[in-house]
Amino acid sequence: MNHQTEVPVPLLAARDLAKSHGRTPALRGASVELREGEILAVTGPSGSGKSTLLHCLAGIVRPDGGSVAYSGERLDRLPEKRLSELRRTEFGVVFQFGQLIPELTALDNVALPLLLTGTPRAEARARAGEWLERFGVRGQEELRPGEMSGGQAQRVSLARALVTGPRVVFADEPTGALDSLAGEQVMSALVHTAREAGTSVLLITHDARVAAYADREVQLLDGAVVPQGVTV
Amino acid sequence: MSGSPQRPPRGSLRSDLRLAWLLTRGSDRREWWRVTLTAVGAGLATGFALAAAALASLSGYHAVPYADGLLDEPGTRDGVVFALLLLLVPVLGFLGQCARIGAVHRDRRLAALRLAGAAPWQVRRIAALESGLACLLGSAVSTVFSVLFLLRLGRVPAVAWLGIALVAVAVPVLGAAVSAVSLRRVVASPLGWVRRVRPETDKGMRALLLASVLLTGVAALLVAVGTRGRFAGLPLVVFALVVLTGMGAVWAAGASARLTGRLLAARTRSAAVLIAAERLRDDPWAAARSHAAALLVAIVGTGFVGVREVLLDALAANGHYSPDGLAFYTTGIDLTAAAILVALAITLGGLAVGAAESLATRRRGLAAQAAAGVPREVLGKALLLETALPLAPAMVIAGIGGMAVSTWYAVLAGGGRSIPLLPLLTPFAIYAACLLTAATSLPLLRRTVRPAELRYV
Amino acid sequence: MSTRHILLGLLAGGPSHGYDLKRRHDERFPQARPLAYGQVYTTLQRLVRDGLAEVEGTDSDGGPERTMYRATDEGGRELAGWAGEIAPPAPFVTNEIFAKVVVSILAGGDPAAYLQAQRTAHMERMRELTAVKTARSSDLATVLSADYALNHLDADLRWMTTTAARLTTLTAEVDAS
């Protein structure tokens, strides 16, 4: 880490986010910054608003109050079409499960984001194959998600999230459904790739061992960030 | 009702009934959709069956003040009964589609009941009560209106009342039985169902549906043969042709879905086509199943349009019918047309229900796709292609079958008449109607891909 | 942790001298507290006294003179017995963090702030260990010993989280007695 004298401008910054699901408040004034190339863990107990925070930051959900700025653009004000495009090209998402299309093979699942941005099929499949190999999913390119183990499927998900060369990867409990060894493999694959490519990662987890892969940790409690650096 | 050797403890029927009611009341909107649509389907089935029963109970000449004397003669009356019974086929298809709404969810819930210690017969009975009650509701509404209508007519033979009572009871009982049988797998292995996501074809359900269709057909045939009139041979041939072409069309739909899926998946450059093609390849029979009724209607419709053209042509050419006599024939033709249109409407209803159900089942995955930046238009296009791709070759077959029927009839009518070409347009019209129906689920897609669905992944 | 048995185990491979034993220990058990040379020397003398090891001879090898040791047959038996014996599962609960929380309550301090600071320190250490573990050069022994520590720190953290959530009740209980 090279320390600069001036404070670096964050790549993604949320200020005073508020969001309710019906009458239940999920976020009440949460502020988070994600710097370029940084891996940030967001931890907190169930129901503390972690997933809602990720949805707001990734432009999946529009906050009720506050702002989300991504490299000079106000995400909370962008039209859905542009948000969808951003999510397709500049962001990658990994959920606990569900982001793979069950009917598509591993290779086609990874190639899908490339097809959506107009890459020819053969090239998309070739690049998808390279990414699968990087994540150690070799010889299983033609399997469908249902035929793979949870750890393999999650590595395919990572490949799909990273194939377009995004600037930010959002991972919501990426190891939540895995045993600890498979979880370690997924996490080290994610961390190594992100560091090599200089990708920022926002990692949601309730597991401290997963959060320890990050450079920094933000704790959420009841929809707000717990102040850090308490002096004893 | 339960044929199992264990005697249920006293009062357990009431507690099962209460549990069935609690489960229905506490469940989400989809359950209510299933109950409502099942009731509507049961109502339609009861209505057609009641009309058929009432008409069949008449013997000899009766002056019925409807349909330009078409119901007066036993021969033509039997034709109407035959048509009414045939209308049960699309209704059964519709009911089959309705049973699939929320099937995954319901089966999971019942599997959970099994895991919580409910005996197999208890789970069966709860499920049977659920759908039996829905069918009873539909059947009761239909019966009440039919009885009111018949009472206005005045004297009704006792045998008609017997038929009505029989039908009113048989529909809910049949509904409950189908429901109990279709749960066989959940009952046999509750654990196996907790993990499964995709609803699979259920053999018991399919066998029962097929049996119902065949029974209806046989009943219709018996009615037709029973008249011993000059029309006796015709319904037999028509029925056989319809069944044969229908089976061919279902097979063609399945086979072509698999083939187009494989070919397109390997070559396409478009994400929407890729998603649709892989879904078809993965489960080609799902499409064939939900489109079977549409295909049957396409065949019958195409054939009918041809027959109608030839018949009207012949009547006009003949020229020595009184206006009353002419009305007798045209009313018959119009009634048949109406019946086919009703069948088409029911079929499209089933198609719409099927499309909505497929969306609802996949809503989490779809929401995740949208969150990952797959544009909604791509998802919508894939959804439409899933209907359009397998239906196209099947419609061609349906068109050929229908054309064969009408050409054959034109030749039979003789007189060097030209072969009608209007029927060629019918499959296209029905194809367009099916696509429009599939498109009705697009607004639902917009609601389905809400981020709220992601919160429970 | 029994240094005698670990040294006996290292001697099982063949005769060795004190400095070599220390080096192999630190290599074999990465992230563990390194052995002091004096400790190796006294432990070896005790092993000889108890008849578990004996002096093999001296070896100068051009440098200063070193005493070579080897395990006796009795040492081998002792080692086998120890290796198969279960480690007593937490016979006494020694929990410094808990002691600090209770003392903090007794002295009218701020146990919540302490727990939060302790949590930050734990997380910092966990990040260090994870970095060591995921470095491309680390071998399996390093990964496994880092994992051991990570899992224990994680257990501490989970305990701290539940304790922090129940501090009010604990304060009432401590103050009442």
Side-chain angles (χ1 to χ4, degrees):
Chain A
M1 302 285 133
N2 44 350
H3 293 276
Q4 288 163 322
T5 41
E6 62 201 289
V7 180
V9 180
L11 181 63
L12 189 60
R15 298 240 173 287
D16 297 323
L17 285 185
K19 176 79 191 172
S20 296
H21 301 297
R23 264 178 290 175
T24 324
L27 291 177
R28 356 182 178 206
S31 299
V32 176
E33 286 184 356
L34 180 68
R35 296 175 208 130
E36 185 100 48
E38 177 187 45
I39 301 179
L40 175 68
V42 176
T43 58
S46 317
S48 57
K50 300 186 297 282
S51 290
T52 309
L53 178 70
L54 178 136
H55 292 160
C56 287
L57 285 171
I60 297 169
V61 157
R62 230 175 268 278
D64 298 338
S67 65
V68 183
Y70 166 71
S71 105
E73 274 186 288
R74 280 286 296 271
L75 290 193
D76 49 310
R77 290 182 185 162
L78 286 181
E80 173 55 35
K81 209 172 179 67
R82 170 75 183 135
L83 283 176
S84 178
E85 187 189 327
L86 271 180
R87 294 201 299 268
R88 201 156 61 238
T89 54
E90 312 240 325
F91 298 165
V93 289
V94 184
F95 298 117
Q96 195 169 326
F97 46 76
Q99 72 272 44
L100 296 180
I101 299 185
E103 291 85 6
L104 294 191
T105 62
L107 195 62
D108 279 331
N109 258 304
V110 178
L112 189 70
L114 294 173
L115 287 182
L116 289 172
T117 49
T119 314
R121 182 85 186 280
E123 193 191 326
R125 280 172 67 95
R127 270 170 64 189
E130 286 165 24
W131 276 94
L132 282 177
E133 201 163 321
R134 280 173 87 157
F135 283 111
V137 189
R138 198 193 302 230
Q140 279 140 351
E141 291 88 345
E142 294 304 322
L143 291 187
R144 280 156 227 269
E147 300 162 333
M148 290 184 245
S149 71
Q152 283 172 341
Q154 208 55 335
R155 277 180 283 164
V156 174
S157 303
L158 283 183
R160 175 169 163 182
L162 284 156
V163 71
T164 51
R167 286 177 79 187
V168 187
V169 167
F170 297 91
D172 191 350
E173 300 277 10
T175 61
L178 306 179
D179 63 72
S180 52
L181 185 58
E184 302 236 327
Q185 288 166 344
V186 165
M187 279 316 297
S188 55
L190 172 62
V191 167
H192 279 303
T193 322
R195 295 230 192 275
E196 270 171 33
T199 313
S200 306
V201 178
L202 188 97
L203 174 65
I204 301 270
T205 181
H206 66 271
D207 185 341
R209 284 168 300 178
V210 173
Y213 281 91
D215 302 318
R216 197 159 63 90
E217 183 201 15
V218 164
Q219 271 179 275
L220 274 191
L221 192 65
D222 294 332
V225 173
V226 176
Q228 295 288 301
V230 185
T231 46
V232 189
Chain B
M1 194 173 91
S2 86
S4 55
Q6 308 108 303
R7 291 287 305 160
R10 275 166 74 85
S12 85
L13 183 64
R14 207 190 314 156
S15 68
D16 282 0
L17 196 61
R18 184 175 301 137
L19 200 50
W21 166 244
L22 279 178
L23 286 173
T24 311
R25 201 181 53 173
S27 47
D28 60 6
R29 221 172 20 197
R30 273 186 297 155
E31 301 285 306
W32 284 107
W33 271 109
R34 183 177 71 238
V35 170
T36 313
L37 289 172
T38 306
V40 168
L44 281 174
T46 314
F48 290 138
L50 283 180
L55 286 177
S57 70
L58 299 177
S59 54
Y61 181 88
H62 272 275
V64 181
Y66 293 101
D68 286 314
L70 206 63
L71 302 177
D72 298 352
E73 294 283 352
T76 49
R77 200 163 53 221
D78 287 342
V80 173
V81 171
F82 173 72
L84 283 170
L85 288 179
L86 275 188
L87 271 180
L88 283 178
V89 174
V91 173
L92 285 174
F94 177 78
L95 277 173
Q97 287 290 3
C98 292
R100 292 166 62 88
I101 304 179
V104 179
H105 178 72
R106 181 201 50 192
D107 286 0
R108 265 203 202 129
R109 201 182 58 200
L110 292 175
L113 266 180
R114 275 282 281 133
L115 290 176
W121 56 265
Q122 259 175 320
V123 171
R124 277 213 176 101
R125 201 156 68 170
I126 289 170
L129 280 174
E130 256 185 34
S131 41
L133 284 180
C135 289
L136 184 66
L137 185 71
S139 138
V141 170
S142 252
T143 310
V144 165
F145 277 105
S146 306
V147 167
L148 286 179
F149 179 73
L150 281 181
L151 284 180
R152 261 190 42 184
L153 280 185
R155 64 198 169 78
V156 177
V159 64
W161 291 122
L162 187 71
I164 286 167
L166 220 67
V167 168
V169 171
V171 168
V173 167
L174 205 72
V178 169
S179 179
V181 169
S182 69
L183 278 172
R184 212 173 21 132
R185 208 160 23 145
V186 184
V187 170
S189 109
L191 266 178
W193 249 101
V194 180
R195 259 186 69 99
R196 264 322 272 162
V197 177
R198 193 193 314 136
E200 280 203 43
T201 54
D202 199 299
K203 276 191 185 142
M205 186 78 168
R206 221 173 357 170
L208 239 153
L209 262 178
L210 196 70
S212 311
V213 170
L214 282 182
L215 259 174
T216 314
V218 169
L221 277 182
L222 283 179
V223 168
V225 174
T227 65
R228 294 179 195 283
R230 55 199 179 94
F231 287 115
L234 191 63
L236 192 73
V237 173
V238 169
F239 186 70
L241 263 180
V242 165
V243 167
L244 274 180
T245 330
M247 273 160 59
V250 170
W251 175 82
S256 71
R258 192 196 303 262
L259 189 69
T260 40
R262 198 160 52 213
L263 289 179
L264 281 177
R267 284 178 185 75
T268 182
R269 303 177 52 143
S270 138
V273 178
L274 177 65
I275 296 172
E278 285 285 14
R279 270 185 63 79
L280 288 181
R281 178 166 81 158
D282 193 48
D283 192 4
W285 300 109
R289 211 164 42 231
S290 60
H291 298 156
L295 297 176
L296 266 177
V297 172
I299 298 160
V300 174
T302 310
F304 170 74
V305 170
V307 170
R308 177 179 175 274
E309 206 181 320
V310 174
L311 202 62
L312 284 182
D313 216 25
L315 287 175
N318 220 326
H320 45 256
Y321 281 107
S322 66
D324 267 3
L326 205 59
F328 176 80
Y329 282 106
T330 50
T331 308
I333 291 170
D334 289 348
L335 265 183
T336 316
I340 290 172
L341 282 178
V342 167
L344 180 64
I346 298 169
T347 303
L348 291 179
L351 210 62
V353 168
E357 162 57 13
S358 143
L359 259 181
T361 311
R362 292 181 291 146
R363 66 196 199 284
R364 259 177 217 175
L366 289 170
Q369 296 309 317
V374 178
R376 211 181 276 147
E377 301 86 74
V378 171
L379 296 176
K381 245 186 259 172
L383 200 73
L384 284 185
L385 283 169
E386 274 171 42
T387 305
L389 288 177
L391 211 50
M395 278 294 164
V396 170
I397 293 206
I400 292 172
M403 274 303 283
V405 171
S406 56
T407 308
W408 166 71
Y409 191 76
V411 171
L412 206 72
R417 228 175 293 281
S418 63
I419 288 157
L421 289 177
L422 191 64
L424 270 182
L425 287 177
T426 318
F428 288 104
I430 294 178
Y431 188 57
C434 287
L435 288 190
L436 277 177
T437 309
T440 55
S441 60
L442 288 182
L444 196 65
L445 175 70
R446 179 176 291 270
R447 289 214 347 238
T448 297
V449 297
R450 285 174 312 159
E453 298 291 350
L454 289 173
R455 293 183 55 227
Y456 305 103
V457 292
Chain C
M1 187 74 100
S2 165
T3 312
R4 313 159 38 91
H5 292 107
I6 289 172
L7 289 185
L8 268 180
L10 290 170
L11 282 175
S16 197
H17 54 72
Y19 179 76
D20 192 38
L21 286 172
K22 174 200 157 39
R23 191 181 50 76
R24 279 167 57 206
H25 168 272
D26 294 352
E27 217 174 77
R28 188 58 58 205
F29 303 103
Q31 309 295 319
R33 190 199 304 275
L35 276 185
Y37 183 68
Q39 194 190 354
V40 176
Y41 188 69
T42 42
T43 311
L44 281 171
Q45 279 181 332
R46 281 197 198 125
L47 286 175
V48 172
R49 183 196 65 198
D50 297 342
L52 301 177
E54 56 193 22
V55 174
E56 166 91 357
T58 51
D59 163 38
S60 62
D61 201 19
E65 200 168 81
R66 286 159 173 167
T67 313
M68 297 284 283
Y69 293 87
R70 69 180 184 85
T72 60
D73 289 347
E74 200 191 331
R77 278 193 296 277
E78 167 78 15
L79 181 67
W82 177 79
E85 197 178 276
I86 58 151
F92 301 103
V93 179
T94 51
N95 183 344
E96 194 183 338
I97 303 171
F98 185 51
K100 286 191 173 196
V101 169
V102 172
V103 167
S104 181
I105 293 171
L106 287 172
D110 185 351
Y114 161 68
L115 279 176
Q116 181 62 35
Q118 186 66 57
R119 185 184 192 286
T120 310
H122 263 63
M123 276 309 298
E124 188 55 45
R125 178 67 181 140
M126 283 179 81
R127 275 196 284 275
E128 273 172 37
L129 287 167
T130 306
V132 167
K133 177 174 98 165
T134 50
R136 292 240 189 247
S137 55
S138 42
D139 54 1
L140 185 59
T142 310
V143 171
L144 290 181
S145 63
D147 262 348
Y148 180 83
L150 277 167
N151 280 309
H152 279 78
L153 287 168
D154 181 50
D156 279 355
L157 269 182
R158 272 181 278 154
W159 177 84
M160 282 190 266
T161 308
T162 44
T163 306
R166 301 164 83 179
L167 269 181
T168 324
T169 321
L170 180 66
T171 307
E173 199 177 288
V174 169
D175 285 347
S177 55

